[in-house]
mmCIF file of all heavy atoms in Angstrom:
data_model
loop_
_atom_site.group_PDB
_atom_site.id
_atom_site.type_symbol
_atom_site.label_atom_id
_atom_site.label_comp_id
_atom_site.label_asym_id
_atom_site.label_seq_id
_atom_site.Cartn_x
_atom_site.Cartn_y
_atom_site.Cartn_z
ATOM 1 N N PHE A 10 82.022 63.197 -10.372
ATOM 2 C CA PHE A 10 82.007 63.730 -9.019
ATOM 3 C C PHE A 10 80.864 63.204 -8.182
ATOM 4 O O PHE A 10 80.797 63.465 -6.995
ATOM 5 C CB PHE A 10 81.982 65.259 -9.046
ATOM 6 C CG PHE A 10 80.819 65.833 -9.805
ATOM 7 C CD1 PHE A 10 79.617 66.073 -9.185
ATOM 8 C CD2 PHE A 10 80.943 66.121 -11.153
ATOM 9 C CE1 PHE A 10 78.563 66.585 -9.882
ATOM 10 C CE2 PHE A 10 79.881 66.644 -11.845
ATOM 11 C CZ PHE A 10 78.690 66.882 -11.221
ATOM 12 N N ALA A 11 79.940 62.478 -8.735
ATOM 13 C CA ALA A 11 78.839 61.918 -7.940
ATOM 14 C C ALA A 11 78.236 60.722 -8.665
ATOM 15 O O ALA A 11 78.283 60.625 -9.884
ATOM 16 C CB ALA A 11 77.766 62.969 -7.712
ATOM 17 N N CYS A 12 77.679 59.815 -7.895
ATOM 18 C CA CYS A 12 76.986 58.658 -8.468
ATOM 19 C C CYS A 12 75.560 59.065 -8.796
ATOM 20 O O CYS A 12 74.854 59.597 -7.957
ATOM 21 C CB CYS A 12 76.965 57.512 -7.480
ATOM 22 S SG CYS A 12 78.573 56.850 -7.111
ATOM 23 N N SER A 13 75.159 58.852 -9.998
ATOM 24 C CA SER A 13 73.795 59.202 -10.372
ATOM 25 C C SER A 13 72.887 57.994 -10.204
ATOM 26 O O SER A 13 73.337 56.873 -9.986
ATOM 27 C CB SER A 13 73.741 59.689 -11.815
ATOM 28 O OG SER A 13 74.007 58.623 -12.681
ATOM 29 N N LYS A 14 71.610 58.229 -10.304
ATOM 30 C CA LYS A 14 70.636 57.157 -10.154
ATOM 31 C C LYS A 14 70.798 56.129 -11.257
ATOM 32 O O LYS A 14 70.655 54.940 -11.024
ATOM 33 C CB LYS A 14 69.232 57.749 -10.163
ATOM 34 C CG LYS A 14 68.156 56.748 -9.886
ATOM 35 C CD LYS A 14 66.825 57.418 -9.765
ATOM 36 C CE LYS A 14 65.764 56.401 -9.430
ATOM 37 N NZ LYS A 14 64.458 56.983 -9.268
ATOM 38 N N ASN A 15 71.136 56.585 -12.456
ATOM 39 C CA ASN A 15 71.302 55.646 -13.564
ATOM 40 C C ASN A 15 72.495 54.730 -13.345
ATOM 41 O O ASN A 15 72.452 53.553 -13.690
ATOM 42 C CB ASN A 15 71.458 56.400 -14.881
ATOM 43 C CG ASN A 15 70.186 57.091 -15.292
ATOM 44 O OD1 ASN A 15 69.106 56.690 -14.893
ATOM 45 N ND2 ASN A 15 70.314 58.148 -16.058
ATOM 46 N N ALA A 16 73.566 55.269 -12.768
ATOM 47 C CA ALA A 16 74.743 54.434 -12.527
ATOM 48 C C ALA A 16 74.464 53.393 -11.462
ATOM 49 O O ALA A 16 74.908 52.248 -11.560
ATOM 50 C CB ALA A 16 75.922 55.307 -12.118
ATOM 51 N N LEU A 17 73.709 53.766 -10.429
ATOM 52 C CA LEU A 17 73.413 52.807 -9.374
ATOM 53 C C LEU A 17 72.370 51.789 -9.804
ATOM 54 O O LEU A 17 72.377 50.654 -9.349
ATOM 55 C CB LEU A 17 72.944 53.542 -8.118
ATOM 56 C CG LEU A 17 74.055 54.280 -7.394
ATOM 57 C CD1 LEU A 17 73.465 55.143 -6.298
ATOM 58 C CD2 LEU A 17 75.060 53.317 -6.817
ATOM 59 N N CYS A 18 71.472 52.168 -10.683
ATOM 60 C CA CYS A 18 70.451 51.226 -11.155
ATOM 61 C C CYS A 18 70.957 50.374 -12.305
ATOM 62 O O CYS A 18 70.235 49.518 -12.798
ATOM 63 C CB CYS A 18 69.190 51.975 -11.561
ATOM 64 S SG CYS A 18 68.346 52.690 -10.152
ATOM 65 N N ALA A 19 72.184 50.598 -12.742
ATOM 66 C CA ALA A 19 72.738 49.826 -13.844
ATOM 67 C C ALA A 19 73.140 48.418 -13.403
ATOM 68 O O ALA A 19 73.501 47.597 -14.231
ATOM 69 C CB ALA A 19 73.934 50.546 -14.449
ATOM 70 N N LEU A 20 73.115 48.162 -12.104
ATOM 71 C CA LEU A 20 73.389 46.810 -11.634
ATOM 72 C C LEU A 20 72.248 45.911 -12.094
ATOM 73 O O LEU A 20 71.135 46.028 -11.622
ATOM 74 C CB LEU A 20 73.481 46.794 -10.113
ATOM 75 C CG LEU A 20 74.647 47.522 -9.491
ATOM 76 C CD1 LEU A 20 74.487 47.553 -7.986
ATOM 77 C CD2 LEU A 20 75.937 46.871 -9.878
ATOM 78 N N ASN A 21 72.523 45.055 -13.014
ATOM 79 C CA ASN A 21 71.437 44.229 -13.544
ATOM 80 C C ASN A 21 71.169 43.039 -12.633
ATOM 81 O O ASN A 21 71.902 42.763 -11.687
ATOM 82 C CB ASN A 21 71.741 43.794 -14.967
ATOM 83 C CG ASN A 21 73.037 43.036 -15.064
ATOM 84 O OD1 ASN A 21 73.666 42.751 -14.077
ATOM 85 N ND2 ASN A 21 73.426 42.710 -16.276
ATOM 86 N N VAL A 22 70.112 42.358 -12.917
ATOM 87 C CA VAL A 22 69.652 41.257 -12.071
ATOM 88 C C VAL A 22 70.658 40.113 -12.067
ATOM 89 O O VAL A 22 70.860 39.467 -11.039
ATOM 90 C CB VAL A 22 68.263 40.787 -12.546
ATOM 91 C CG1 VAL A 22 67.800 39.589 -11.757
ATOM 92 C CG2 VAL A 22 67.267 41.912 -12.445
ATOM 93 N N VAL A 23 71.324 39.881 -13.182
ATOM 94 C CA VAL A 23 72.276 38.779 -13.256
ATOM 95 C C VAL A 23 73.457 39.035 -12.322
ATOM 96 O O VAL A 23 73.893 38.142 -11.586
ATOM 97 C CB VAL A 23 72.763 38.584 -14.714
ATOM 98 C CG1 VAL A 23 73.846 37.539 -14.786
ATOM 99 C CG2 VAL A 23 71.602 38.225 -15.608
ATOM 100 N N TYR A 24 73.950 40.273 -12.310
ATOM 101 C CA TYR A 24 75.073 40.612 -11.437
ATOM 102 C C TYR A 24 74.661 40.501 -9.968
ATOM 103 O O TYR A 24 75.389 39.950 -9.153
ATOM 104 C CB TYR A 24 75.577 42.017 -11.762
ATOM 105 C CG TYR A 24 76.702 42.465 -10.868
ATOM 106 C CD1 TYR A 24 77.974 41.917 -11.000
ATOM 107 C CD2 TYR A 24 76.495 43.422 -9.891
ATOM 108 C CE1 TYR A 24 79.009 42.310 -10.184
ATOM 109 C CE2 TYR A 24 77.516 43.820 -9.070
ATOM 110 C CZ TYR A 24 78.770 43.266 -9.218
ATOM 111 O OH TYR A 24 79.786 43.658 -8.399
ATOM 112 N N MET A 25 73.485 41.035 -9.624
ATOM 113 C CA MET A 25 73.029 40.960 -8.238
ATOM 114 C C MET A 25 72.769 39.514 -7.827
ATOM 115 O O MET A 25 73.027 39.137 -6.689
ATOM 116 C CB MET A 25 71.785 41.815 -8.040
ATOM 117 C CG MET A 25 72.084 43.294 -8.024
ATOM 118 S SD MET A 25 70.748 44.303 -7.401
ATOM 119 C CE MET A 25 69.532 44.170 -8.685
ATOM 120 N N THR A 26 72.264 38.696 -8.750
ATOM 121 C CA THR A 26 72.047 37.282 -8.459
ATOM 122 C C THR A 26 73.368 36.584 -8.170
ATOM 123 O O THR A 26 73.459 35.786 -7.236
ATOM 124 C CB THR A 26 71.333 36.600 -9.639
ATOM 125 O OG1 THR A 26 70.119 37.294 -9.897
ATOM 126 C CG2 THR A 26 71.029 35.156 -9.340
ATOM 127 N N ASP A 27 74.397 36.890 -8.951
ATOM 128 C CA ASP A 27 75.715 36.296 -8.715
ATOM 129 C C ASP A 27 76.289 36.701 -7.363
ATOM 130 O O ASP A 27 76.862 35.880 -6.649
ATOM 131 C CB ASP A 27 76.682 36.682 -9.829
ATOM 132 C CG ASP A 27 76.345 36.024 -11.153
ATOM 133 O OD1 ASP A 27 75.572 35.040 -11.148
ATOM 134 O OD2 ASP A 27 76.842 36.500 -12.186
ATOM 135 N N VAL A 28 76.130 37.975 -7.009
ATOM 136 C CA VAL A 28 76.656 38.458 -5.730
ATOM 137 C C VAL A 28 75.909 37.805 -4.568
ATOM 138 O O VAL A 28 76.518 37.351 -3.594
ATOM 139 C CB VAL A 28 76.569 39.996 -5.664
ATOM 140 C CG1 VAL A 28 76.846 40.503 -4.264
ATOM 141 C CG2 VAL A 28 77.525 40.630 -6.654
ATOM 142 N N ILE A 29 74.594 37.735 -4.658
ATOM 143 C CA ILE A 29 73.794 37.127 -3.589
ATOM 144 C C ILE A 29 74.106 35.638 -3.476
ATOM 145 O O ILE A 29 74.256 35.105 -2.369
ATOM 146 C CB ILE A 29 72.297 37.369 -3.835
ATOM 147 C CG1 ILE A 29 71.964 38.850 -3.635
ATOM 148 C CG2 ILE A 29 71.437 36.512 -2.929
ATOM 149 C CD1 ILE A 29 70.565 39.230 -4.062
ATOM 150 N N ASN A 30 74.240 34.963 -4.598
ATOM 151 C CA ASN A 30 74.530 33.529 -4.589
ATOM 152 C C ASN A 30 75.909 33.253 -3.992
ATOM 153 O O ASN A 30 76.077 32.325 -3.199
ATOM 154 C CB ASN A 30 74.436 32.972 -6.010
ATOM 155 C CG ASN A 30 74.267 31.475 -6.026
ATOM 156 O OD1 ASN A 30 74.073 30.846 -4.998
ATOM 157 N ND2 ASN A 30 74.357 30.897 -7.211
ATOM 158 N N ALA A 31 76.903 34.074 -4.348
ATOM 159 C CA ALA A 31 78.245 33.872 -3.811
ATOM 160 C C ALA A 31 78.290 34.146 -2.307
ATOM 161 O O ALA A 31 78.939 33.403 -1.556
ATOM 162 C CB ALA A 31 79.236 34.784 -4.540
ATOM 163 N N SER A 32 77.586 35.177 -1.861
ATOM 164 C CA SER A 32 77.605 35.488 -0.433
ATOM 165 C C SER A 32 76.796 34.475 0.375
ATOM 166 O O SER A 32 77.092 34.232 1.542
ATOM 167 C CB SER A 32 77.085 36.899 -0.188
ATOM 168 O OG SER A 32 75.755 37.019 -0.627
ATOM 169 N N TRP A 33 75.782 33.865 -0.220
ATOM 170 C CA TRP A 33 74.968 32.862 0.476
ATOM 171 C C TRP A 33 75.812 31.649 0.863
ATOM 172 O O TRP A 33 75.681 31.100 1.944
ATOM 173 C CB TRP A 33 73.795 32.450 -0.406
ATOM 174 C CG TRP A 33 72.867 31.465 0.208
ATOM 175 C CD1 TRP A 33 72.868 30.119 0.027
ATOM 176 C CD2 TRP A 33 71.781 31.738 1.107
ATOM 177 N NE1 TRP A 33 71.848 29.534 0.735
ATOM 178 C CE2 TRP A 33 71.162 30.521 1.411
ATOM 179 C CE3 TRP A 33 71.267 32.901 1.669
ATOM 180 C CZ2 TRP A 33 70.067 30.418 2.250
ATOM 181 C CZ3 TRP A 33 70.174 32.803 2.502
ATOM 182 C CH2 TRP A 33 69.588 31.581 2.790
ATOM 183 N N TRP A 34 76.711 31.245 -0.035
ATOM 184 C CA TRP A 34 77.513 30.058 0.245
ATOM 185 C C TRP A 34 78.693 30.348 1.154
ATOM 186 O O TRP A 34 79.297 29.421 1.702
ATOM 187 C CB TRP A 34 77.978 29.417 -1.062
ATOM 188 C CG TRP A 34 76.824 28.869 -1.817
ATOM 189 C CD1 TRP A 34 76.327 29.338 -3.000
ATOM 190 C CD2 TRP A 34 75.977 27.791 -1.432
ATOM 191 N NE1 TRP A 34 75.230 28.613 -3.367
ATOM 192 C CE2 TRP A 34 74.984 27.648 -2.413
ATOM 193 C CE3 TRP A 34 75.947 26.935 -0.345
ATOM 194 C CZ2 TRP A 34 73.987 26.683 -2.346
ATOM 195 C CZ3 TRP A 34 74.948 25.977 -0.283
ATOM 196 C CH2 TRP A 34 73.998 25.855 -1.273
ATOM 197 N N VAL A 35 79.029 31.599 1.359
ATOM 198 C CA VAL A 35 80.100 31.958 2.284
ATOM 199 C C VAL A 35 79.574 32.039 3.721
ATOM 200 O O VAL A 35 80.320 31.833 4.675
ATOM 201 C CB VAL A 35 80.735 33.306 1.853
ATOM 202 C CG1 VAL A 35 81.751 33.793 2.853
ATOM 203 C CG2 VAL A 35 81.371 33.166 0.487
ATOM 204 N N MET A 36 78.282 32.311 3.876
ATOM 205 C CA MET A 36 77.674 32.457 5.207
ATOM 206 C C MET A 36 77.682 31.144 5.980
ATOM 207 O O MET A 36 77.669 30.066 5.402
ATOM 208 C CB MET A 36 76.205 32.879 5.075
ATOM 209 C CG MET A 36 75.964 34.232 4.577
ATOM 210 S SD MET A 36 74.184 34.487 4.533
ATOM 211 C CE MET A 36 74.078 35.636 3.214
ATOM 212 N N SER A 37 77.667 31.296 7.296
ATOM 213 C CA SER A 37 77.510 30.109 8.142
ATOM 214 C C SER A 37 76.040 29.698 8.168
ATOM 215 O O SER A 37 75.160 30.462 7.769
ATOM 216 C CB SER A 37 78.000 30.411 9.558
ATOM 217 O OG SER A 37 77.176 31.391 10.142
ATOM 218 N N ASN A 38 75.779 28.499 8.642
ATOM 219 C CA ASN A 38 74.406 28.006 8.698
ATOM 220 C C ASN A 38 73.547 28.823 9.648
ATOM 221 O O ASN A 38 72.363 29.038 9.400
ATOM 222 C CB ASN A 38 74.370 26.527 9.100
ATOM 223 C CG ASN A 38 74.743 25.619 7.951
ATOM 224 O OD1 ASN A 38 74.589 25.991 6.794
ATOM 225 N ND2 ASN A 38 75.242 24.442 8.282
ATOM 226 N N SER A 39 74.135 29.301 10.738
ATOM 227 C CA SER A 39 73.355 30.104 11.684
ATOM 228 C C SER A 39 72.939 31.437 11.055
ATOM 229 O O SER A 39 71.824 31.914 11.301
ATOM 230 C CB SER A 39 74.164 30.352 12.960
ATOM 231 O OG SER A 39 75.333 31.081 12.672
ATOM 232 N N THR A 40 73.805 32.017 10.238
ATOM 233 C CA THR A 40 73.443 33.263 9.548
ATOM 234 C C THR A 40 72.345 33.011 8.528
ATOM 235 O O THR A 40 71.415 33.812 8.403
ATOM 236 C CB THR A 40 74.675 33.858 8.847
ATOM 237 O OG1 THR A 40 75.737 33.978 9.792
ATOM 238 C CG2 THR A 40 74.372 35.220 8.270
ATOM 239 N N ARG A 41 72.419 31.901 7.822
ATOM 240 C CA ARG A 41 71.361 31.549 6.860
ATOM 241 C C ARG A 41 70.020 31.370 7.557
ATOM 242 O O ARG A 41 68.992 31.865 7.090
ATOM 243 C CB ARG A 41 71.711 30.265 6.122
ATOM 244 C CG ARG A 41 72.805 30.407 5.119
ATOM 245 C CD ARG A 41 73.036 29.087 4.427
ATOM 246 N NE ARG A 41 74.288 29.103 3.711
ATOM 247 C CZ ARG A 41 74.925 28.028 3.307
ATOM 248 N NH1 ARG A 41 74.428 26.839 3.563
ATOM 249 N NH2 ARG A 41 76.051 28.122 2.657
ATOM 250 N N HIS A 42 70.037 30.664 8.678
ATOM 251 C CA HIS A 42 68.791 30.436 9.423
ATOM 252 C C HIS A 42 68.217 31.750 9.942
ATOM 253 O O HIS A 42 67.002 31.948 9.938
ATOM 254 C CB HIS A 42 69.014 29.463 10.569
ATOM 255 C CG HIS A 42 69.324 28.069 10.124
ATOM 256 N ND1 HIS A 42 68.548 27.393 9.205
ATOM 257 C CD2 HIS A 42 70.331 27.230 10.458
ATOM 258 C CE1 HIS A 42 69.063 26.195 9.007
ATOM 259 N NE2 HIS A 42 70.148 26.065 9.747
ATOM 260 N N GLU A 43 69.094 32.645 10.388
ATOM 261 C CA GLU A 43 68.625 33.947 10.881
ATOM 262 C C GLU A 43 68.011 34.774 9.749
ATOM 263 O O GLU A 43 66.983 35.430 9.926
ATOM 264 C CB GLU A 43 69.787 34.706 11.520
ATOM 265 C CG GLU A 43 69.399 36.023 12.135
ATOM 266 C CD GLU A 43 68.429 35.871 13.301
ATOM 267 O OE1 GLU A 43 68.508 34.849 14.015
ATOM 268 O OE2 GLU A 43 67.590 36.763 13.473
ATOM 269 N N LEU A 44 68.630 34.750 8.572
ATOM 270 C CA LEU A 44 68.064 35.459 7.419
ATOM 271 C C LEU A 44 66.735 34.852 6.995
ATOM 272 O O LEU A 44 65.791 35.572 6.650
ATOM 273 C CB LEU A 44 69.042 35.443 6.249
ATOM 274 C CG LEU A 44 70.202 36.423 6.338
ATOM 275 C CD1 LEU A 44 71.190 36.179 5.208
ATOM 276 C CD2 LEU A 44 69.697 37.843 6.294
ATOM 277 N N GLU A 45 66.648 33.533 7.000
ATOM 278 C CA GLU A 45 65.390 32.879 6.636
ATOM 279 C C GLU A 45 64.276 33.227 7.625
ATOM 280 O O GLU A 45 63.131 33.427 7.244
ATOM 281 C CB GLU A 45 65.588 31.365 6.584
ATOM 282 C CG GLU A 45 66.369 30.904 5.386
ATOM 283 C CD GLU A 45 66.647 29.420 5.413
ATOM 284 O OE1 GLU A 45 66.544 28.785 6.485
ATOM 285 O OE2 GLU A 45 66.986 28.881 4.334
ATOM 286 N N ARG A 46 64.636 33.322 8.888
ATOM 287 C CA ARG A 46 63.645 33.682 9.895
ATOM 288 C C ARG A 46 63.206 35.137 9.756
ATOM 289 O O ARG A 46 62.031 35.455 9.824
ATOM 290 C CB ARG A 46 64.232 33.444 11.285
ATOM 291 C CG ARG A 46 63.273 32.848 12.246
ATOM 292 C CD ARG A 46 63.890 32.657 13.613
ATOM 293 N NE ARG A 46 65.328 32.830 13.630
ATOM 294 C CZ ARG A 46 66.200 31.923 14.028
ATOM 295 N NH1 ARG A 46 65.794 30.789 14.479
ATOM 296 N NH2 ARG A 46 67.497 32.150 14.017
ATOM 297 N N SER A 47 64.166 36.049 9.538
ATOM 298 C CA SER A 47 63.815 37.476 9.481
ATOM 299 C C SER A 47 63.109 37.856 8.176
ATOM 300 O O SER A 47 62.242 38.723 8.177
ATOM 301 C CB SER A 47 65.056 38.346 9.680
ATOM 302 O OG SER A 47 65.971 38.133 8.643
ATOM 303 N N PHE A 48 63.467 37.212 7.052
ATOM 304 C CA PHE A 48 62.822 37.516 5.776
ATOM 305 C C PHE A 48 61.627 36.604 5.490
ATOM 306 O O PHE A 48 60.940 36.801 4.495
ATOM 307 C CB PHE A 48 63.820 37.416 4.619
ATOM 308 C CG PHE A 48 64.676 38.631 4.450
ATOM 309 C CD1 PHE A 48 65.924 38.711 5.046
ATOM 310 C CD2 PHE A 48 64.234 39.699 3.701
ATOM 311 C CE1 PHE A 48 66.708 39.826 4.887
ATOM 312 C CE2 PHE A 48 65.020 40.819 3.538
ATOM 313 C CZ PHE A 48 66.261 40.887 4.136
ATOM 314 N N ASP A 49 61.400 35.603 6.311
ATOM 315 C CA ASP A 49 60.295 34.656 6.168
ATOM 316 C C ASP A 49 60.333 33.961 4.801
ATOM 317 O O ASP A 49 59.406 34.035 3.999
ATOM 318 C CB ASP A 49 58.949 35.353 6.393
ATOM 319 C CG ASP A 49 57.822 34.370 6.648
ATOM 320 O OD1 ASP A 49 58.127 33.239 7.070
ATOM 321 O OD2 ASP A 49 56.661 34.723 6.415
ATOM 322 N N CYS A 50 61.461 33.285 4.546
ATOM 323 C CA CYS A 50 61.655 32.599 3.263
ATOM 324 C C CYS A 50 62.510 31.360 3.491
ATOM 325 O O CYS A 50 63.100 31.193 4.549
ATOM 326 C CB CYS A 50 62.327 33.538 2.268
ATOM 327 S SG CYS A 50 63.915 34.176 2.827
ATOM 328 N N CYS A 51 62.588 30.508 2.483
ATOM 329 C CA CYS A 51 63.409 29.294 2.564
ATOM 330 C C CYS A 51 64.242 29.135 1.305
ATOM 331 O O CYS A 51 63.748 29.340 0.207
ATOM 332 C CB CYS A 51 62.532 28.059 2.736
ATOM 333 S SG CYS A 51 61.888 27.860 4.395
#
């Protein structure tokens, strides 16, 4: 009946890395540049 903290923290780093990597390549270049500017990273 509810999501607990343990269930939400069960997302391991490998799964989150895969999701972030897959979404990075779907984004347009302008979205990537905007994220790099706002997060101050390359």
